[in-house]
Amino acid sequence: MTTTITYTPAVEDRTSSLPLRLMLAPVGTAPALLDGAWWPRSRDLTAELPTLTAVLDALWGRITHVTVNPTFWPVIPRKVPVDGHVVRVGWFKTEQDPHKLLLLSYTVGRWDLLVIPPETSPAVAARLMTEAADPLGTPTASALMDQAEQRPIAEEMERSLVSVWDHEGGLGASLPTSRSPVQAVIAQEPDAMKGI
């Protein structure tokens, strides 16, 4: 069973009042490549990280460091104030998957979350979140994103092939068009062959 967290921050929270879009792998499952997925509403780490880390602090212990790949983040702050403490933010261009957010807690450990682009459609984001939170999942964050990009192409090709199949008659093209019963043909042996 996966955990979906919908968090609505308190009125005094400086960040967005919209619910946090986060799905985590079930507690106590064997470690996978990803511990879940986060679907931020923007590419602004200063605005997005406080709500995420405030929720995860309660679940995983105080988050002290976050690292990202700068490919999809236009501005990377060095520090982000979160609920009475500061989270340090770092980045790795080649060492870290561009679709992953790494969170560190001194008391508990490390977690890797798939970061779903803010502009992703809700249906695709839901599928990605479910796949990333699967404790038996083995794809990397980039592999999941690549699969998500390829899926619409494959689905369109399948729809196209089905359309051609239907246009050409589909399964019905190989069936008899007459609804009358099929006549049985009984072959009789010629008399000359009976003696052989």
Side-chain angles (χ1 to χ4, degrees), residues 22-52:
L22 174 70
M23 185 177 284
L24 303 174
V27 175
T29 57
L33 290 177
L34 294 169
D35 298 296
W38 174 48
W39 185 22
R41 296 181 189 283
S42 74
R43 292 286 186 186
D44 181 356
L45 282 171
T46 304
E48 299 289 342
L49 280 180
T51 304
L52 174 67

Side-chain angles (χ1 to χ4, degrees), residues 104-171:
L104 297 169
S105 167
Y106 283 136
T107 58
V108 183
R110 165 189 164 162
W111 296 272
D112 297 315
L113 295 179
L114 167 69
V115 178
I116 300 170
E119 62 277 1
T120 304
S121 74
V124 172
R127 187 170 56 237
L128 284 166
M129 290 179 98
T130 301
E131 291 171 357
D134 181 356
L136 301 176
T138 57
T140 64
S142 283
L144 282 174
M145 293 306 297
D146 290 344
Q147 289 170 6
E149 289 174 10
Q150 295 302 318
R151 190 171 281 140
I153 295 167
E155 289 171 355
E156 181 57 35
M157 286 178 60
E158 185 176 333
R159 278 193 297 276
S160 178
L161 290 172
V162 168
S163 175
V164 168
W165 170 263
D166 288 343
H167 179 69
E168 292 177 352
L171 179 61

